[in-house]
Structures are given as C-alpha cells and as structure tokens.
Amino acid sequence: MATRTAAARRAEERAAYDAYLAECPARQLLDRIGDKWVSLAVNALADGPRRYSDLSRTLAGVSQKMLTQTLRNLERDGLVTRSVTASVPVRVDYALTPLGTGLLPVMQAIKGWAQDNMGEVLAARDSYDSRAGEARVSAAGPAAAGASRPGRPRPDPSSRGGSA
C-alpha cells in the first residue's frame, strides 16, 4: 500500500468536491443556496433569530409550504437552527448557525449587487427584447410587419411568459 503525502491527500479531497462534476455533493449545495428563498431567508436572519410568522411577513410572496420546506432544508444542511418554546401559542424561532453565518456575507453581497444593478439589468432586458422582436419581425416578412390577416389579432410581444 502506497503512502500518500499530505499534499496528495488534500488534492484528492478537493477533487472529491468538484462542483463541475455532475455527481458532486457540492453541486447539490450550490443548487440549494442558489434558490431565491434560501438567499432571502438567510439575509432575513442576519440580525438574529426570527419567528416563523415574522419570516413569512418579511419574505413577501413565499407560500407557507415553500417557507417551511426552505427552513427545513436549511436546518438539514446545518445552516439554520429551529428552537421551539412551549407557550400558547407555541413559539418557533429560526437562527443562523455558525456555518450559516459564514454564508451570510456571500448572500448579502449577492442581494446588494442585485439591488444596486437592477436598473442596468432591466435596460439590458429591454434592449435584448427589442432586438429579438425586430429579428422576429424581419424573419416573418411583411405579414409580421403590419400586414396581418384580417380577423386575426396580432400577438402582443409584452405578454410572453417566462423570465430572463
């Protein structure tokens, strides 16, 4: 049996968590922390423990099911603790663990970047959408440019679903 150096062992450990590999557990963690509700929940817990109902109000638009699932997943991954206090009604608080606190600066940076750059992103989307609309019109020929068939409404390009 060959003896490995400490450097060789460290290199093997790094390779075991290469997120570019499909089967890598680090990729699963990146999927988890890339979720919008995870990012918002971690940021919401930055100032200390919060009750479930408080988190629900802060994370506007999150369903009860999604918030519960998000918090359970964060607890499972060791990023959040859940504390239950026997009272009427029962009080449930969530707080970041030291591991979750270590993730906080990254999440705060991403949230801040999104807020600071949203104007430029919206302008880029508008520019892209107008170029894509012009390309569709030129590819479709004169019918798309305004000579649509009688009795058939033209589709409104702003009503497209999906997100960029």
Side-chain angles (χ1 to χ4, degrees), residues 30 33-34 39 42-43 99-114:
L30 287 172
I33 63 177
S39 173
V42 168
N43 276 296
L99 187 61
T101 301
L103 179 61
L104 187 57
V106 176
M107 293 299 196
Q108 288 175 325
I110 291 170
K111 178 179 167 272
W113 182 91

Side-chain angles (χ1 to χ4, degrees), residues 81-137:
T81 58
R82 178 179 186 265
S83 303
V84 179
T85 305
S87 63
V88 178
V90 172
R91 180 184 173 110
V92 180
D93 291 293
Y94 293 88
L96 293 175
T97 63
L99 187 61
T101 301
L103 179 61
L104 187 57
V106 176
M107 293 299 196
Q108 288 175 325
I110 291 170
K111 178 179 167 272
W113 182 91
Q115 291 171 333
D116 292 347
N117 292 285
M118 200 61 230
E120 288 183 58
V121 170
L122 290 172
R125 286 179 184 175
D126 287 345
S127 175
Y128 178 91
D129 290 347
S130 68
R131 288 191 314 273
E134 290 169 8
R136 279 192 303 277
V137 167

Side-chain angles (χ1 to χ4, degrees), residues 15-17 28 38 41 48 51 53 58 62 71 78 83 85 89 100 119 161 163:
Y17 297 113
Q28 295 169 353
V38 167
R51 294 180 75 168
S53 58
T58 300
V62 68
L71 291 168
S83 303
T85 305
S163 60

